[in-house]
Amino acid sequence: MLNIHNLSVSFAGEYLFEEISFKLISGDRVGLIGKNGAGKSTLLKLLSKEMELDSGSIASDKDIRIGFLKQDIDFEKGRTVLDEAYQAFVEIKQLELKQNDINLKLSERTDYESDSYFALITELSDVTDRYELIGGYNYQGQTEKILQGLGFSRADFDKNTDTFSGGWRMRIELAKLLLQSNDLLLLDEPTNHLDIESIIWLEQFLKTFTGAVVIVSHDKMFLNNVTNRTIEISLGRIYDFNKPYSKYLVLRNEIKEQQISAQKNQEKQIQQTERLIEKFRAKASKASMAQSLIKKIEKIDRIEVDKDDNSVMKLRFNVSVNPGKVIAEIEELSKSYDDNHVLDDISLIIERGSKTAFVGQNGQGKSTLAKIMVGELKASGMMKLGHNVQIGYFAQNQAEYLDGKKTVLDTMIDSANETNRSKVRDILGSFLFQGDEVDKFVRVLSGGERNRLALAKMLLQPFNVLVMDEPTNHLDIKSKNVLKQALQNFDGTLILVSHDRDFLQGLTNKVYEFKDQNIKEYLGDIDYYLEQRRVDDFRAIEKKEKIIVLKQKPKNNKNQDQSLKKKLNNVESKISKLEKEISNIDKALLNNYETTITQPNFFPNYEKKKSELESLMSKWEKLTLALN
């Protein structure tokens, strides 16, 4: 399918990667990983032929069709969601125009016996045959199915694309790629703007995709569920193994340990040989032997240990001034977007020093409330900030607020004031923008680099309250950990919108769940919230079947009731046992991940338990309904 040979790319004299080679074949589902700025997005642009090669070659099959989901997209204004999605079917739309044109001509003709009229009929027949052959009668239903899978309702289909946020427009672009008959899909951070339900849907789609897929993502669970191969870009090299992400990490670590051990053994042999050389040099009769040993050492191929790129940004959030005890007070607040009611009569109080998580599906009002609190949106009801409250706000699409025409340095200088302008270069350095990198234009930065710049820019403004909406989008795993550490050390008040359980663990002491226009408070951390919801993670909440409360049915006879209760008790006992087993496994994964997953058939057994639990929950629901 694709053969990449000795590929090199450099910027400002520095190599992103040098003379890398690999192949892609049908069935490959590759997780392309590496730190922000390592060259992942650049490699996708090279594979899609959007960028010219510095050196090397990319050979491909003839007529290969490549679909590329980029981080930044532009839509033509005035198109509806359906119209934009239909752009995936270029030839079908052209044939429709041709059919309409021919039909119009035929309607205006009366010379039914002429050769030219017959030629039009023949042309229409040929066009119609081709239209049917390439799916012209099925594409509309297929489009609606894909859009609904990605979270759009039928009511959304006729709305203009410019009324949707960047995240939803990204879904439309993703739908277009999935609708095309591509041989290779290049997906740059496809899950960043998807809720859990849509991520699960996309996982299932990609698992059954017959072509090749290359995915840039920092979502560990998504990579583990979808990929069967991992390519890591690190310090200009690539590491390529036929393993999903977590198994690759274990294998990579084992290989590195073997290299270290082999290097130590080789070094011992070299030292022993060098001692012999020194000993033989002193004797004239052994001089030739000493020279022979010297040549032997010179010919040794020295074992090298793979180097890791351990550079990370340095981040610390400082409190500006001490605010009052109450940070924000909200009473009977409601918000609607035209006919879409998002929040209805909600009330809450945010107190100084609290660490709060907003969780729930997309579209339930989490980001809306965050924007209301920082003054970006208006709503009915009361929202009052406390004394001396200064809010630092990181929006979900924070990077979109950056001016692509400015350099990294100019972006910071323009946001600085007289007291901190002299610290701009130091701040940029701590966020890994060093040397000539500060002169890069924002438009050429990767998504992760833009997020790092947005975080750096925040430090130029005073705040004692942090409101952060999905701050980990685009950040590599090491940067996520640095951000988490900084938030743990933050002495101010934190409000965090996120669907990343790993990131939220240990960060908050209160959770608000947004659902059906309302909020529900949980006085504990994210693990407490999930425990109360009787699930292991956010995915389980999405997948768990909703229990429908029916009106009271006529009672079954006594014997039937007793039989049902007995079955129900049995199922509940099995559910309790399975939940405990899964919980123990999750704890083992958290405490000792690498050792736990090396157990025989670990992943199949783990998934089997979860599947059994889901089946039992469905059975429990039916029995409960039967008893009502």
Side-chain angles (χ1 to χ4, degrees):
M1 183 176 284
L2 272 188
N3 190 355
I4 295 86
H5 182 66
N6 287 343
L7 189 63
S8 298
V9 171
S10 62
F11 287 105
E14 293 287 330
Y15 278 104
L16 270 178
F17 34 81
E18 186 176 10
E19 295 187 350
I20 64 172
S21 300
F22 60 95
K23 292 181 180 180
L24 293 174
I25 61 173
S26 292
D28 278 342
R29 295 192 298 276
V30 179
L32 183 60
I33 64 172
K35 60 170 284 189
N36 294 142
K40 303 184 296 296
S41 296
T42 298
L43 183 55
L44 292 189
K45 289 176 183 176
L46 290 167
L47 297 179
S48 68
K49 301 177 182 176
E50 282 203 1
M51 272 184 70
E52 294 292 327
L53 309 178
D54 280 5
S55 62
S57 63
I58 300 178
S60 62
D61 292 344
K62 188 180 179 182
D63 300 326
I64 186 173
R65 291 162 296 187
I66 300 175
F68 182 21
L69 179 71
K70 294 174 279 190
Q71 291 181 6
D72 301 311
I73 54 175
D74 284 317
F75 282 162
E76 184 177 308
K77 289 187 177 181
R79 285 180 182 157
T80 66
V81 171
L82 271 181
D83 288 339
E84 186 62 46
Y86 288 158
Q87 300 308 305
F89 304 99
V90 176
E91 187 179 359
I92 286 176
K93 300 305 288 183
Q94 289 174 343
L95 290 173
E96 283 183 343
L97 290 173
K98 204 163 188 179
Q99 283 177 324
N100 291 336
D101 181 58
I102 296 172
N103 281 321
L104 179 63
K105 288 178 180 177
L106 288 172
S107 68
E108 294 171 348
R109 301 280 291 269
T110 55
D111 53 334
Y112 307 124
E113 303 298 326
S114 67
D115 291 342
S116 59
Y117 188 89
F118 181 74
L120 280 175
I121 293 291
T122 303
E123 185 180 5
L124 179 60
S125 177
D126 292 342
V127 169
T128 302
D129 287 345
R130 176 62 182 169
Y131 183 77
E132 183 177 3
L133 181 66
I134 63 173
Y137 296 114
N138 303 320
Y139 80 95
Q140 292 177 330
Q142 190 182 1
T143 301
E144 292 181 11
K145 182 180 177 181
I146 295 287
L147 287 172
Q148 286 178 312
L150 287 170
F152 290 94
S153 67
R154 289 190 173 275
D156 294 326
F157 290 169
D158 294 322
K159 294 178 182 176
N160 282 346
T161 57
D162 36 326
T163 63
F164 289 87
S165 67
W168 283 96
R169 281 181 291 192
M170 184 69 78
R171 296 188 193 206
I172 302 171
E173 190 68 15
L174 181 57
K176 286 159 63 177
L177 286 187
L178 301 184
L179 286 164
Q180 294 164 353
S181 298
N182 290 304
D183 304 299
L184 171 62
L185 289 177
L186 307 173
L187 307 179
D188 198 351
E189 299 283 9
T191 64
N192 268 355
H193 302 286
L194 301 183
D195 56 25
I196 305 299
E197 189 176 354
S198 297
I199 290 174
I200 293 168
W201 182 92
L202 179 60
E203 285 177 356
Q204 296 306 314
F205 183 95
L206 294 177
K207 284 177 184 177
T208 57
F209 181 67
T210 56
V213 186
V214 180
I215 305 164
V216 172
S217 178
H218 303 300
D219 185 330
K220 292 185 287 185
M221 188 175 288
F222 180 73
L223 288 173
N224 284 333
N225 287 343
V226 172
T227 63
N228 55 20
R229 180 178 171 190
T230 301
I231 296 177
E232 179 182 9
I233 303 177
S234 179
L235 299 173
R237 293 184 59 190
I238 65 165
Y239 302 90
D240 184 0
F241 293 94
N242 290 321
K243 300 284 183 183
Y245 177 72
S246 293
K247 290 184 179 180
Y248 159 75
L249 290 181
V250 174
L251 183 60
R252 177 103 144 77
N253 190 53
E254 288 174 354
I255 290 171
K256 189 175 179 181
E257 287 176 357
Q258 291 169 3
Q259 289 174 337
I260 292 171
S261 178
Q263 188 186 57
K264 286 180 180 177
N265 290 333
Q266 186 186 63
E267 191 59 36
K268 284 180 182 177
Q269 293 173 358
I270 291 171
Q271 288 173 1
Q272 289 172 355
T273 305
E274 287 174 340
R275 282 195 292 269
L276 286 173
I277 291 170
E278 290 301 317
K279 185 178 178 181
F280 292 158
R281 270 178 175 163
K283 299 179 181 179
S285 61
K286 302 286 187 179
S288 61
M289 188 175 291
Q291 289 300 315
S292 176
L293 290 173
I294 289 170
K295 289 179 181 178
K296 181 180 178 182
I297 285 180
E298 288 174 349
K299 290 179 180 179
I300 289 176
D301 187 8
R302 304 271 177 152
I303 295 171
E304 293 185 1
V305 177
D306 293 338
K307 294 179 181 178
D308 292 325
D309 188 350
N310 294 315
S311 57
V312 294
M313 65 178 180
K314 298 172 185 174
L315 179 57
R316 182 172 181 82
F317 296 116
N318 294 313
V319 173
S320 54
V321 295
N322 202 32
K325 184 179 179 181
V326 175
I327 296 298
E329 189 176 358
I330 295 172
E331 286 185 6
E332 299 177 355
L333 185 141
S334 298
K335 176 64 181 176
S336 299
Y337 297 96
D338 297 325
D339 295 331
N340 183 20
H341 302 292
V342 180
L343 300 171
D344 183 29
D345 198 25
I346 68 166
S347 299
L348 71 148
I349 292 177
I350 303 292
E351 295 184 342
R352 182 181 61 216
S354 61
K355 312 289 185 182
T356 305
F358 287 176
V359 303
Q361 294 182 26
N362 281 4
Q364 294 294 328
K366 305 184 303 294
S367 297
T368 295
L369 184 57
K371 289 177 181 178
I372 292 169
M373 293 181 69
V374 301
E376 279 205 2
L377 286 176
K378 292 183 179 180
S380 60
M382 190 269 282
M383 203 296 295
K384 181 182 176 183
L385 293 180
H387 177 66
N388 267 350
V389 169
Q390 296 176 331
I391 296 180
Y393 176 49
F394 188 95
Q396 187 175 143
N397 57 340
Q398 186 72 37
E400 294 178 17
Y401 290 86
L402 300 173
D403 188 346
K405 296 177 183 177
K406 290 183 180 180
T407 65
V408 170
L409 183 60
D410 288 341
T411 298
M412 290 290 285
I413 289 175
D414 291 348
S415 298
N417 52 44
E418 293 299 324
T419 60
N420 57 26
R421 190 164 285 121
S422 61
K423 300 177 183 177
V424 161
R425 283 187 178 272
D426 290 337
I427 294 173
L428 284 173
S430 69
F431 280 80
L432 305 181
F433 293 106
Q434 298 162 341
D436 294 338
E437 289 184 334
V438 302
D439 296 320
K440 281 185 178 180
F441 285 99
V442 171
R443 65 173 176 268
V444 303
L445 299 180
S446 69
E449 288 173 317
R450 291 188 196 183
N451 261 26
R452 288 210 314 263
L453 178 58
L455 285 169
K457 188 179 170 186
M458 281 186 69
L459 299 188
L460 297 172
Q461 308 300 324
F463 55 80
N464 47 33
V465 177
L466 265 177
V467 178
M468 307 193 85
D469 191 353
E470 300 290 2
T472 60
N473 280 355
H474 300 295
L475 288 183
D476 60 55
I477 292 164
K478 288 180 180 177
S479 296
K480 279 186 186 182
N481 293 335
V482 171
L483 175 59
K484 181 172 181 176
Q485 186 68 48
L487 293 176
Q488 285 173 328
N489 294 330
F490 179 53
D491 293 327
T493 306
L494 176 65
I495 297 170
L496 195 57
V497 180
S498 179
H499 65 264
D500 187 333
R501 177 184 178 176
D502 290 337
F503 183 71
L504 285 174
Q505 277 181 323
L507 269 184
T508 63
N509 50 32
K510 184 185 291 185
V511 175
Y512 283 105
E513 181 183 40
F514 287 65
K515 187 178 181 182
D516 299 331
Q517 305 167 19
N518 291 302
I519 60 173
K520 184 175 180 179
E521 183 183 63
Y522 292 82
L523 297 174
D525 63 6
I526 197 65
D527 288 331
Y528 172 79
Y529 159 72
L530 292 170
E531 183 183 316
Q532 293 298 303
R533 297 286 270 109
R534 297 184 69 187
V535 292
D536 297 313
D537 51 41
F538 293 137
R539 288 173 175 242
I541 291 174
E542 300 284 357
K543 293 171 79 172
K544 194 174 181 181
E545 294 183 3
K546 295 179 181 178
I547 298 174
I548 305 168
V549 180
L550 300 176
K551 291 183 178 180
Q552 189 79 8
K553 291 181 181 178
K555 281 287 181 183
N556 298 304
N557 64 47
K558 190 174 180 181
N559 290 336
Q560 283 179 318
D561 274 354
Q562 287 178 344
S563 175
L564 287 170
K565 285 177 181 178
K566 189 175 180 180
K567 289 179 181 178
L568 186 61
N569 289 336
N570 185 36
V571 169
E572 286 177 343
S573 176
K574 289 179 180 178
I575 288 173
S576 179
K577 183 181 177 183
L578 261 180
E579 285 181 332
K580 190 173 182 180
E581 289 175 4
I582 292 170
S583 177
N584 289 335
I585 294 172
D586 287 337
K587 287 176 183 175
L589 283 170
L590 287 171
N591 296 329
N592 200 339
Y593 182 86
E594 293 186 1
T595 303
T596 304
I597 66 169
T598 56
Q599 297 173 8
N601 298 318
F602 170 77
F603 284 107
N605 290 337
Y606 187 39
E607 290 303 318
K608 184 180 178 183
K609 288 182 185 294
K610 289 195 169 187
S611 178
E612 287 175 3
L613 180 60
E614 193 170 346
S615 176
L616 285 169
M617 290 298 294
S618 177
K619 194 172 182 179
W620 177 85
E621 177 191 339
K622 291 175 182 176
L623 289 169
T624 303
L625 292 174
L627 274 169
N628 285 343

